[in-house]
């Protein structure tokens, strides 16, 4: 069982049993609704195209019923401007203008699954996938773009910090994620 980044609370067992897998043709994307139109529309109309064009990888949490999309997130490679990071963080880095990062571009939980811990489960799954490839494709940080203050609060709870130049862009050093998920 994976632990949360900044607390010893655990994701509920029922949610951990949800299968998180790459987007497939069998997933019922049209029925998904998280209550945020831009996130619903993305999954319904654009996710498949982003997959085909290697823009993003889309991962689906299947609920107790097959084909039902309980939630989803996307992953992409990303470059973060060193100037976007806090000075204390950027001083530790080489003087490259852009450093490698991974982007969790979207993360959404379907309305029937809100409050179940599925958002945390999806975030931890995304972090684990990023960490898994970090030994082959270096990523200094994990970046998210919070759509609103509620989303920013969610990410801050897991150790993400706002970028001074854009507070809706938050980052988590990959080393911090590795330490948290390995229990160190």
């Amino acid at each position: 069982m994976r632990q949360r980044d900044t607390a010893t609370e655990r994701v509920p067992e029922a949610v951990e049993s949800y299968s998180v897998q790459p987007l497939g043709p069998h997933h019922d994307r049209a029925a998904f609704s998280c209550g945020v139109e831009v996130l619903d529309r993305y999954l319904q109309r654009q996710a498949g195209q982003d997959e085909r064009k290697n823009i993003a990888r889309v991962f689906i949490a299947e609920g107790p019923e097959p084909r039902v999309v309980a939630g989803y997130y996307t992953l992409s490679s990303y470059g973060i401007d060193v100037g976007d990071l806090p000075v204390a963080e950027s001083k530790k880095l080489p003087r490259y203008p852009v450093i490698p990062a991974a982007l969790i571009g979207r993360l959404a939980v379907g309305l029937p699954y809100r409050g179940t811990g599925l958002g945390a489960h999806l975030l931890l799954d995304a972090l684990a996938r990023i960490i898994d490839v970090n030994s082959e494709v270096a990523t200094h940080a994990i970046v998210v773009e919070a759509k609103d203050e509620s989303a920013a609060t969610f990410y801050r709870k897991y150790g993400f910090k706002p970028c001074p130049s854009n507070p809706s862009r938050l980052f988590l050093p990959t080393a911090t994620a590795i330490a948290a998920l390995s229990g160190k």
Side-chain angles (χ1 to χ4, degrees):
M1 179 183 300
R2 294 185 184 134
Q3 290 187 348
R4 291 185 181 194
D5 184 36
T6 60
T8 58
E9 293 178 318
R10 295 181 180 267
V11 176
E13 289 293 333
V15 172
E16 278 214 343
S17 68
Y18 289 13
S19 171
V20 179
Q21 56 192 262
L23 174 65
H26 64 284
H27 291 118
D28 184 4
R29 296 184 290 155
F32 180 79
S33 176
C34 69
V36 179
E37 186 179 342
V38 66
L39 294 173
D40 293 344
R41 190 174 51 242
Y42 174 81
L43 183 63
Q44 294 161 356
R45 297 183 189 161
Q46 187 162 347
Q49 181 177 337
D50 281 1
E51 278 275 348
R52 287 187 299 279
K53 293 185 176 185
N54 288 318
I55 302 300
R57 293 290 172 242
V58 182
F59 294 91
I60 302 293
E62 280 190 355
E65 301 172 35
R67 297 179 27 93
V68 173
V69 176
Y72 76 94
Y73 67 85
T74 65
L75 293 179
S76 301
S77 58
Y78 192 73
I80 187 166
D81 187 318
V82 173
D84 285 346
L85 298 173
V87 173
E89 179 77 16
S90 64
K91 284 170 61 173
K92 302 176 202 172
L93 298 171
R95 299 206 182 273
Y96 298 131
V98 176
I99 57 166
L103 175 68
I104 302 173
R106 292 170 178 80
L107 189 150
V109 173
L111 290 172
Y113 303 94
R114 288 229 175 128
T116 64
L118 182 57
H121 181 61
L122 288 168
L123 178 60
L124 294 174
D125 190 85
L127 295 176
R129 287 180 196 271
I130 293 165
I131 290 166
D132 284 348
V133 299
N134 188 55
S135 65
E136 296 183 31
V137 179
T139 55
H140 175 75
I142 300 158
V143 177
V144 297
E145 296 278 347
K147 298 285 182 214
D148 55 28
E149 185 53 35
S150 175
T153 298
F154 170 78
Y155 289 116
R156 284 193 301 265
K157 184 168 66 170
Y158 293 95
F160 283 80
K161 298 174 186 152
C163 293
S165 63
N166 181 354
S168 66
R169 180 176 299 136
L170 296 97
F171 76 99
L172 179 70
T174 305
T176 301
I178 291 169
L181 290 178
S182 68
K184 294 180 183 178

